[in-house]
Structure formats: structure tokens, C-alpha cells
Amino acid sequence: MTGIGQEALRHWRRHVPYLAAKSGKAARFSFGDLVALAVTREITEGLGVGISQVHDGIESLFRTLAQQTVIRPDTVAVLQGRVSSLVVADTQLSALSRTPAALVPLGTIIEDLQAKLLDGIRLPPQSVLPFSAEAVSQ
């Protein structure tokens, strides 16, 4: 799904405890985990940064994305040292601290993953409910 080889994943598991907990043949990854794996690939392969140099920020990124119920395509993953954050793309860069950072836009990653997961399936737009939502008490 993410274009990451087994050897790279094994190597990353040695440095990122979140990934180490998801090992074995029955390892299951959420959509947020897949996004974090793709971001990790972009940072390590695309930017040429070793996982040993950014493992704390990557760990933080996995935990941040695991807490998200919705990951918006206009979001940017920001890794700054040992922490990570998700910011909306139109956020001014001056709002970030003066610490060096790696920024990875999530839009293309999300589109690629959705295309692979849905394998060309076109979902119809959700229709409007014919009745209004109502609180029900027991």
C-alpha cells in the first residue's frame, strides 16, 4: 500500500516503538498508520534523513495520527525534533516555532492510499437523510 519494503519496515520497528508493537504476520494498520508510514517513507527516502535521526518525531507522528478520526487532505504533517503536529495547509509558516522542521503535505498521500484501498471503486455521494436527526432517550 505504501511502497515500503519488508526490510525497511523491520529496520523502522527497531527505532519506533509504535511500529514494534505492530509486528508479526497478523499486524493490522489503521488508515492513520498507513498515512504515517507513507510520511515516514517521504522523510527517509525523499529527504534522505535516517530513521535514527527522526525516530522520536516519527513516534509522535504515529501517535498523533492514531488519535485522528478524520485526516483532512489539506493537512500538513510537521516534524520538529522530538514532536510532530498536524496543521492545516493554509497556516502561516511563521506560526511554527523557529526550530528546523520537516513538512509533508498529506493530500497526495491520502489520495494515493484511497485509490489503492478502494481499487477504483467509485462511491456515490452520501444522500441527505429524508428525516431530521432526533435525540432518542430510553
Side-chain angles (χ1 to χ4, degrees), residues 70-121:
V70 175
I71 304 170
R72 294 175 38 177
D74 62 345
T75 303
V76 176
V78 179
L79 270 77
Q80 292 179 288
R82 295 176 175 237
V83 297
S84 69
S85 59
L86 301 175
V87 298
V88 177
D90 62 0
T91 300
Q92 296 293 324
L93 293 180
S94 61
L96 301 173
S97 72
R98 299 192 188 280
T99 307
L103 292 102
V104 180
L106 300 184
T108 305
I109 290 172
I110 291 171
E111 288 174 15
D112 290 347
L113 286 173
Q114 285 176 335
K116 289 176 183 173
L117 288 170
L118 296 175
D119 195 25
I121 298 172

